[in-house]
Amino acid sequence: MADGEERAGRTMAGRAVRRLAAAAPGLLVVAAAAVAAIPSFDLPPLAAATAVAGALATALWPRPRETAPRIRAGADRSPKLWPDPGMRVTVDAIDDPCFVTDAEGVVRYQNRIAVERFGAARMGDPLSFKLRVPELLAAVEQAGRHATPGALRFTDRVPTERVWAVRVTPMLLGRREGRERADFVLVRLTDETEQVRLDRTRADFVANASHELRTPLASLTGFVETLLGPARDDAANRERFLKIMLEQAQRMARLIDDLLSLSRVEMKAHLVPSGAVDPDEVIRHVAAALAPLAASTGSRIAVEGEVDATVRGDRDEIIQVVSNLVENGLKYGRDGGTVTLAVVAEAGPEGVSGVRLTVRDDGPGIAAEHLPRLTERFYRVDADGSRRRKGTGLGLAIVKHVVARHRGRLAIRSTPGVGTEVAVWLPATPVAAAVETGATAREGP
């Protein structure tokens, strides 16, 4: 520090000497004129000395052009407070919400996606005005003051719950050696809400499937142990136990079949079926196949409507959809009631031609609070009643995924005390494809 001050002093003295040498002729003229004016004009000697001193001071005063370079040099060494255009373009290219702050956490820039997700921040305001997350603000402070990157996850519950993963990255411009303080801090937020939801769904699915399989398996194990022990020679109980074991084994088989069906549909979710299916043939096939089940409950299946069109889809999957809906109507509808299976041509979104399949029962109906969750896996309005009726809790989940794969629409309406109606809309097969399919069928053996 002392050496620097000494060098600065020598520099200033050298400049003064050079200015004095350059002004010497003028100073001599001023001094000579002052001396001559004393006897000629009765000028007081003090006034003459003052004039010479003023000229000397004027010669030694620093010129503006000598101080300007030093001011500019100091400006070049001051910290840059605003991102340059290149940095802004780079941040705009990131497809996640991003904020750029200075080392103190003051917002200097935000990209377009950040404006859309969090609203426009006023430049120069602290980041805490926009993101009130203590852990995030602490990470920004650490990155700004010590150039330490950080990562965290937080949940924003307003206006809707969203999960954000945050990367906080210090940005150092120019030389990095020996520097701890960052010039800027980049805050990048990645929306992981959907990923978290899928993880939760997967965990819930595994837990529910394990529970559904464990119950009949525990029952089977208990009866087997009883038959091998106390009931070894009890013929009457042995027959009763074997019937229960058969029911539990069948329940496990139904659950596994539904799980496999759901898995197959999900694996093909991105593939749109291209076949042509006759909806009239499907509903009559399902009505005939489920007639014995209807007879066992004293109910009947009524078929209404007829369409002169085919739908684009997979025949087996559409049969499974209609079968699941009719089975639900027979199981949870009114004993001795009627399940109506109807088909009608109907235009869908944007005028796309299609067919609407409707299954309607006259049972007790479903309360409104249950309707949004009916298509969730293993969701049951009445769990005990569902198990007694041999339900797996996966029927409507399969329906939802099949309809989605066919790019159709599913609607469920129910009125307690009146009944439930489930409507499935499927797009019709284009005329050219339908004609080609029909011609191929006629040419077959």
Side-chain angles (χ1 to χ4, degrees), residues 283-347:
I283 63 173
R284 284 163 177 74
H285 171 84
V286 172
L290 296 180
L293 177 61
S296 66
T297 61
S299 304
R300 72 184 189 92
I301 302 174
V303 176
E304 296 179 355
E306 185 174 348
V307 295
D308 185 20
T310 59
V311 296
R312 184 180 61 198
D314 182 297
R315 180 178 181 275
D316 291 339
E317 291 185 0
I318 294 177
I319 287 177
Q320 185 175 24
V321 165
V322 180
S323 297
N324 286 359
L325 296 178
V326 174
E327 282 187 26
N328 283 349
L330 294 173
K331 290 176 182 177
Y332 307 113
R334 179 173 59 88
D335 288 344
T338 300
V339 175
T340 303
L341 182 53
V343 58
V344 62
E346 181 181 277

Side-chain angles (χ1 to χ4, degrees), residues 10-22 59-60 66:
R10 288 199 300 267
T11 301
M12 294 178 63
R15 288 176 179 172
V17 170
R18 288 193 296 271
R19 285 195 296 270
L20 184 59
L60 294 177
E66 295 179 353

Side-chain angles (χ1 to χ4, degrees), residues 69-403:
R70 196 170 62 183
I71 296 174
R72 287 195 295 271
D76 289 341
R77 290 192 296 269
S78 64
K80 298 180 184 299
L81 297 179
W82 299 98
D84 59 25
M87 184 183 298
R88 294 197 296 268
V89 169
T90 302
V91 174
D92 282 336
I94 300 176
D95 57 359
D96 286 325
C98 292
F99 292 87
V100 177
T101 74
D102 61 15
E104 302 299 328
V106 175
V107 177
R108 298 304 181 188
Y109 189 69
Q110 67 177 143
N111 65 1
R112 175 183 54 82
I113 300 179
V115 174
E116 293 174 355
R117 293 292 182 89
F118 299 99
R122 189 168 65 178
M123 299 301 101
D125 280 350
L127 183 62
S128 58
F129 284 11
K130 188 58 63 176
L131 298 173
R132 297 177 177 87
V133 182
E135 298 84 353
L136 171 59
L137 300 177
V140 172
E141 180 180 2
Q142 185 73 9
R145 295 184 178 180
H146 304 290
T148 304
L152 66 139
R153 176 186 283 184
F154 73 93
T155 301
D156 185 10
R157 292 181 169 83
V158 179
T160 59
E161 182 172 317
R162 306 204 74 80
V163 180
W164 297 97
V166 186
R167 296 287 301 178
V168 180
T169 306
M171 304 172 70
L172 283 74
L173 307 180
R175 295 180 58 187
R176 296 171 176 261
E177 294 78 4
R179 296 178 57 189
E180 292 186 356
R181 191 179 182 87
D183 295 292
F184 296 102
V185 177
L186 175 64
V187 181
R188 178 174 180 174
L189 300 99
T190 303
D191 190 348
E192 293 189 346
T193 306
E194 186 65 18
Q195 182 62 42
V196 170
R197 186 191 67 80
L198 291 175
D199 291 342
R200 290 175 182 171
T201 301
R202 187 179 298 109
D204 292 343
F205 174 73
V206 171
N208 288 325
S210 300
H211 173 74
E212 293 293 334
L213 288 171
R214 187 183 298 115
T215 302
L217 187 59
S219 178
L220 284 172
T221 303
F223 283 121
V224 169
E225 291 174 349
T226 302
L227 290 173
L228 291 175
R232 179 187 297 272
D233 300 321
D234 189 341
N237 281 327
R238 182 168 60 245
E239 183 176 355
R240 183 169 62 88
F241 290 165
L242 288 174
K243 288 182 179 179
I244 297 175
M245 292 169 65
L246 177 61
E247 291 176 356
Q248 295 300 322
Q250 290 173 341
R251 175 183 169 187
M252 292 178 65
R254 288 193 300 270
L255 179 59
I256 292 172
D257 287 342
D258 282 351
L259 287 172
L260 291 174
S261 296
L262 186 57
S263 177
R264 283 193 295 268
V265 173
E266 289 181 331
M267 288 176 61
K268 298 185 293 185
H270 62 289
L271 300 175
V272 181
S274 58
V277 182
D278 183 355
D280 293 333
E281 186 271 334
V282 167
I283 63 173
R284 284 163 177 74
H285 171 84
V286 172
L290 296 180
L293 177 61
S296 66
T297 61
S299 304
R300 72 184 189 92
I301 302 174
V303 176
E304 296 179 355
E306 185 174 348
V307 295
D308 185 20
T310 59
V311 296
R312 184 180 61 198
D314 182 297
R315 180 178 181 275
D316 291 339
E317 291 185 0
I318 294 177
I319 287 177
Q320 185 175 24
V321 165
V322 180
S323 297
N324 286 359
L325 296 178
V326 174
E327 282 187 26
N328 283 349
L330 294 173
K331 290 176 182 177
Y332 307 113
R334 179 173 59 88
D335 288 344
T338 300
V339 175
T340 303
L341 182 53
V343 58
V344 62
E346 181 181 277
E350 300 179 358
V352 177
S353 60
V355 173
R356 177 165 57 89
L357 301 168
T358 305
V359 177
R360 182 173 60 253
D361 66 54
D362 53 2
I366 303 170
E369 62 266 24
H370 296 292
L371 294 180
R373 301 190 61 188
L374 287 179
T375 57
E376 294 181 12
R377 302 168 184 178
F378 299 110
Y379 184 81
R380 297 179 175 94
V381 176
D382 179 5
D384 292 335
S386 175
R387 292 191 180 96
R388 286 196 304 271
R389 293 175 174 85
K390 302 179 180 179
T392 64
L394 293 173
L396 285 177
I398 294 173
V399 169
K400 180 185 72 172
H401 283 82
V402 171
V403 173

